[in-house]
Amino acid sequence: MPVGSRTLTGCVVALNADAPDADSVKDIIEVVDREPFLPAGVVKLCEWVAEYYLAGIGDAIAVAMPPGARAHATSFKTRQVATITAHGQALVPALFPALGPALPTTLGSALPPALGSALSPGQGTALTPKQGAALGIVAAAGVGLPVGELRDRGVTRDVLARLAARGLVTLRAEAEDRDPFESAALPARIPDAARELTPEQSAAFEQLAALVEAGGFRTALLHGVTGSGKTEIYVRLARAVQQRGRQVLLMVPEIALTPSVTALFRGAFGDRVAIQHSALSDGERHDQWHRIRRGDVDLVIGTRSAVFAPLTRLGLIVVDEEHDTSYKQEETPRYHGRDVAIVRATHDGALVVLGSATPSMETYQNAASGKYAQATMERRILERPLAAVRIVNMRAEYADQGPDAIISRDLASAIGDRLARRDQVLVLLNRRGYATAVFCRQCGDTFECPNCTISLTVHRARNGWRARCHYCNYSMMVPKACRKCAAPYLERAGFGTEKVEEQLVEAFPDARIARVDRDSIRRKGALASLLGRFAAGELDILVGTQMIAKGHDFPRVTLVGVISADVGLGLADFRAAERTFQLLTQVAGRAGRGERTGEAIVQTLYPEHYSIQLACRQDYRAFFEREIAFRRGMRYPPTVALINTIVRGRTFEEAMQTATEIVRRIEPSTASAGLTVLGPAPAPLVRLRGEHRVQFLVKGTRRIDMRRALEAALAGMPQVRRRVTVDVDPLSVL
Ligand code: ADP
Ligand code: ZN
């Protein structure tokens, strides 16, 4: 479509039956697709997302599109293929009289003699021996041969071009699917198809399989402790669904973190599997998307955005680790992959299975109230005990070891034991970088980000220390002297994963240690490769952020150390306790998954906090009861619904004024819509990326009324819409 002076590609989502006055509309330049590009079901889902999350339909459609969709006719990866023509074929017997059907396959030894012009009528010059041999190779292949392959066999592009010019071969482009399984370096499947389910697994499977059998929409929670064998149940359910002629979507938090799950499904479904996630190259994602769209697959494994995969016969959606925060998209449209999955299943009449050892408060409440079905597995496979968890009170440790202690003596000695036994160790600290701040000991000056109200994190760099903002990526080298008072007393305070790694290397010089955090895995494939090396026993200790807590199954890990269990508890976020409980339970769940019993050592400044205590006892139910009482008392989700609105401005006053005006417009409807507004107030991160931020919260019980009230207020102020971020069901209000 022409739009202003530009030409844009759009997506038709509806037709307007009343044609507007013909003079006021422009003509479409070209219709790109003959068939609808997105299946109708996906468009419907996008419409729901746009409405529920107060986003534009264009934003919602954009997340459902594969990369390069705007020009998708050209974004297939193509390769040139050479095929012999009838004319070329006619020359072959004369070229290779002695060989008969045994034509050459490489250009080398037996070059035919030059072929006189008499034999290639109308072509003027003779065929050179090379050209003749090349023609023989193409003829021998029978089907089209990729030009790249011909090059490997000694046939240059130039020779091919000459043959093509004579009409002896044709060269044409052919679409080729890029294979993401190859580049993801996924391990091969370990064949164990005949494995018997444990009684607990059987019971859970029977219960869920009955829901598959019943057909139709239903949501079920599969609450199984870490190591209870949930994956095996997913595989069998998926098979049952496939046998009924329907498709399966398996959602995982991050594919690189669960290579074994992907391998397992590849083993079970072979070529009928596609994967969809952001770490694939655009080309790979595009090709996978089109395989799904063509109906070539029965199972899609993917991250958040895979919920929009163009499947048309969906029978089952599994959301593995449903509590994981990566399912929430933190940019427009701010959707929650799990919640969109449930809505999609209502449209498609599918079963949703939400799997977790530590379900989100939302999900567990729905299961407890009977809205969701629930299957529970309380024991680990082969009766392996859950890891024994020991708490180390770091206040006592500081008193004995001094305030700089990072690794407690208990943890250090336990690591030493494991190394001696050649067991493996995971060390978790959910904070990256080397130090959390720099300050001047003389004048107290600190290094804050110039764009954000946040202190810069110090990272070790090749040529010194680099201070970096984890929000906007601003960075600077840490100078030798203070910028304010010139004193040479700059000090680093606090610590992150880089410093823990350094201390481990010092304490255990013979151990093979690697670090996994966002900084160490920048390069594509780095994460998979580190995890692969750890799984293969090439590393003894893996230190890292929450990335090492998720889903892995490393049988040789018998010890998990948690450096500061309370990292998240200091945040003024209503989900802080839930996050802490989940992280600790999950990471403790990484220990003792093999034959030897596991142990977890949890260092904390708040050994009495209920989230730490109950995580150590792995008592989910007790945690839920305690936490839901807190949420009810404070009127926080899931006992109420929440919408967080952030208004940005060039100045604080501008942001505050706009926010105040929006709230003023909502106020008249508070009584009828049964909602309350908290704020406006300065957002916890009052400056971010150079902008000033003010926020207000809308609390209520009827989401639709809350949405309408906010939408109506915003509709009257179109000029500020761009500066307003609306987050429906926010995971965090920071
Ligand atoms: P979860 O996802 O519940 O933490 P997994 O699915 O990773 O647990 O299973 C834990 C381990 O138990 C894996 O190594 C898996 O291969 C193994 N396992 C699962 N089911 C069985 C079974 N029925 N018999 C033997 N081993 C099993
Ligand atoms: Zn910043």
Side-chain angles (χ1 to χ4, degrees):
M1 285 289 304
V3 177
S5 59
R6 295 179 299 165
T7 300
L8 299 179
T9 305
C11 183
V12 178
V13 293
L15 294 177
N16 188 347
D18 314 315
D21 160 24
D23 292 337
S24 66
V25 295
K26 290 185 187 169
D27 282 335
I28 289 169
I29 297 170
E30 191 194 343
V31 177
V32 183
D33 300 295
R34 263 161 238 296
E35 301 287 320
F37 187 70
L38 295 173
V42 173
V43 174
K44 186 171 163 200
L45 193 63
C46 291
E47 284 167 347
W48 181 86
V49 165
E51 189 190 328
Y52 185 88
Y53 293 103
L54 293 179
I57 180 71
D59 291 326
I61 291 278
V63 281
M65 290 281 201
R70 277 151 220 251
H72 66 273
T74 56
S75 52
F76 284 99
K77 181 182 177 187
T78 55
R79 54 181 182 184
Q80 276 219 309
V81 172
T83 315
I84 195 154
T85 62
H87 184 182
Q89 196 71 54
L91 297 187
V92 172
L95 275 168
F96 304 97
L99 290 175
L103 292 168
T105 51
T106 59
L107 193 70
S109 46
L111 289 180
L115 210 54
S117 51
L119 274 169
S120 46
Q123 302 300 321
T125 56
L127 274 185
T128 66
K130 265 192 185 171
Q131 289 166 355
L135 193 64
I137 294 171
V138 177
V143 295
L145 261 187
V147 169
E149 194 168 320
L150 282 162
R151 188 177 50 235
D152 294 342
R153 299 191 194 181
V155 179
T156 62
R157 188 168 274 282
D158 186 52
V159 167
L160 285 173
R162 277 167 209 276
L163 291 177
R166 287 164 177 256
L168 302 176
V169 302
T170 56
L171 292 171
R172 62 188 166 73
E174 185 186 273
E176 171 194 22
D177 279 352
R178 284 148 285 210
D179 184 1
F181 296 106
E182 220 166 79
S183 60
L186 295 168
R189 147 135 170 118
I190 328 94
D192 52 4
R195 192 145 73 177
E196 250 185 64
L197 293 183
T198 64
E200 247 192 356
Q201 276 177 318
S202 292
F205 174 71
E206 294 304 328
Q207 203 186 333
L208 297 172
L211 300 178
V212 169
E213 207 59 39
F217 166 69
R218 191 75 212 265
T219 303
L221 164 64
L222 176 57
H223 185 195
V225 298
T226 54
S228 56
K230 294 185 284 294
T231 318
E232 193 68 34
I233 292 180
Y234 303 154
V235 173
R236 293 187 192 215
L237 282 177
R239 252 204 226 102
V241 170
Q242 184 191 33
Q243 274 157 14
R244 297 169 63 93
R246 295 181 73 179
Q247 295 164 314
V248 179
L249 170 62
L250 170 66
M251 294 172 66
V252 294
E254 193 173 337
I255 293 210
L257 294 174
T258 45
S260 54
V261 174
T262 312
L264 202 66
F265 278 93
R266 276 274 276 179
F269 290 84
D271 282 348
R272 307 286 300 172
V273 178
I275 60 178
Q276 283 280 290
H277 65 101
S278 56
L280 297 183
S281 70
D282 279 359
E284 287 167 343
R285 245 165 80 201
H286 165 271
D287 294 350
Q288 292 286 307
W289 192 92
H290 283 277
R291 286 183 63 217
I292 304 167
R293 183 69 178 105
R294 289 194 299 263
D296 289 352
V297 305
D298 294 332
L299 182 117
V300 175
I301 305 178
T303 46
R304 180 177 68 225
S305 65
V307 74
F308 299 102
L311 295 159
T312 51
R313 292 176 286 115
L314 200 51
L316 169 69
I317 307 179
V318 174
V319 184
D320 190 25
E321 310 290 357
E322 67 83 28
H323 64 277
D324 198 284
T325 53
S326 69
Y327 285 122
K328 171 82 173 177
Q329 170 146 305
E330 296 294 359
E331 57 191 64
T332 307
R334 296 177 164 255
Y335 68 95
H336 197 298
R338 174 199 60 217
D339 298 342
V340 178
I342 293 170
V343 170
R344 180 163 192 181
T346 64
H347 294 171
D348 295 4
L351 170 68
V352 184
V353 173
L354 308 176
S356 178
T358 52
S360 61
M361 296 297 290
E362 281 76 3
T363 295
Y364 198 81
Q365 197 192 34
N366 283 327
S369 73
K371 187 170 168 197
Y372 297 170
Q374 182 176 357
T376 308
M377 298 196 293
E378 289 173 341
R379 280 182 290 278
R380 279 187 163 178
I381 292 296
L382 304 175
E383 301 292 326
R384 281 176 193 139
L386 287 168
V389 185
R390 206 170 357 138
I391 298 185
V392 174
N393 182 351
M394 283 309 277
R395 288 185 207 270
E397 195 75 17
Y398 292 158
D400 293 352
Q401 269 205 80
D404 295 332
I406 293 179
I407 299 170
S408 66
R409 288 158 300 175
D410 277 6
L411 179 56
S413 94
I415 294 175
D417 284 354
R418 302 311 140 106
L419 292 175
R421 287 185 353 211
R422 312 233 57 109
D423 283 358
Q424 289 178 308
V425 179
L426 291 175
V427 177
L428 171 88
L429 172 60
N430 206 14
R431 191 165 56 209
R432 59 204 175 91
Y434 187 90
T436 48
V438 192
F439 68 97
C440 171
R441 258 198 302 168
Q442 180 156 297
C443 74
D445 185 36
T446 57
F447 284 57
E448 292 212 336
C449 176
N451 312 316
C452 312
T453 22
I454 203 87
S455 130
L456 297 177
T457 301
V458 182
H459 293 265
R460 189 190 283 288
R462 227 169 291 125
N463 46 351
W465 299 99
R466 183 170 282 283
R468 186 182 293 282
C469 172
H470 284 180
Y471 288 87
C472 73
N473 225 20
Y474 166 87
S475 85
M476 60 179 282
M477 290 305 290
V478 178
K480 294 261 181 296
C482 176
R483 296 171 299 178
K484 275 224 177 100
C485 73
Y489 307 124
L490 287 180
E491 197 149 320
R492 292 178 295 275
F495 59 89
T497 45
E498 289 178 26
K499 185 146 184 186
V500 173
E501 181 189 22
E502 182 185 270
Q503 294 217 338
L504 287 168
V505 170
E506 260 170 42
F508 305 102
D510 298 330
R512 297 161 300 173
I513 301 173
R515 179 166 55 84
V516 175
D517 56 29
R518 232 188 299 158
D519 304 300
S520 74
I521 57 152
R522 286 253 154 81
R523 200 170 40 77
K524 189 184 174 191
L527 178 60
S529 134
L530 276 172
L531 295 175
R533 283 170 59 207
F534 192 66
E538 292 164 25
L539 294 167
D540 303 310
I541 305 178
L542 212 53
V543 43
T545 54
Q546 37 83 27
M547 288 182 182
I548 64 168
K550 294 184 182 182
H552 314 294
D553 192 26
F554 300 123
R556 293 200 59 85
V557 171
T558 58
L559 174 67
V560 168
V562 180
I563 298 296
S564 302
D566 30 66
V567 165
L569 282 181
L571 302 172
D573 192 350
F574 70 93
R575 286 185 211 268
E578 182 182 0
R579 294 275 163 276
T580 302
F581 178 84
Q582 285 163 347
L583 181 61
L584 295 182
T585 309
Q586 291 289 340
V587 72
R590 298 311 117 211
R593 294 169 73 94
E595 263 135 48
R596 294 198 206 166
T597 312
E599 183 187 20
I601 295 182
V602 174
Q603 302 184 169
T604 176
L605 291 169
Y606 308 100
E608 303 306 327
H609 195 282
Y610 67 96
S611 67
I612 293 179
Q613 284 283 331
L614 294 172
C616 289
R617 276 193 256 141
Q618 313 229 5
D619 190 343
Y620 179 86
R621 183 76 210 190
F623 174 79
F624 176 81
E625 297 298 349
R626 175 92 198 236
E627 183 67 12
I628 200 79
F630 161 73
R631 303 278 178 95
R632 205 173 284 125
M634 301 294 290
R635 296 195 76 233
Y636 276 128
T639 62
V640 297
L642 200 61
I643 300 179
N644 184 21
T645 305
I646 295 210
V647 180
R648 302 181 305 273
R650 276 168 310 228
T651 63
F652 179 78
E653 289 68 32
E654 183 189 40
M656 188 50 108
Q657 245 168 31
T658 308
T660 307
E661 177 57 22
I662 302 172
V663 170
R664 198 187 61 75
R665 287 165 186 250
I666 297 176
E667 232 115 58
S669 48
T670 49
S672 63
L675 56 81
T676 48
V677 179
L678 282 80
L685 267 167
V686 70
R687 278 189 75 228
L688 187 65
R689 298 182 193 96
E691 290 177 312
H692 295 260
R693 303 159 85 240
V694 167
Q695 103 191 129
F696 64 89
L697 296 171
V698 178
K699 274 186 187 178
T701 47
R702 298 194 307 272
R703 275 192 186 75
I704 185 157
D705 293 338
M706 294 161 62
R707 243 167 30 221
R708 291 218 172 114
L710 183 55
E711 206 165 32
L714 290 172
M717 309 168 68
Q719 72 288 358
V720 302
R721 195 63 186 88
R722 209 173 34 77
R723 295 196 281 114
V724 178
T725 303
V726 178
D727 193 353
V728 178
D729 303 336
L731 277 197
S732 154
V733 291
L734 292 186

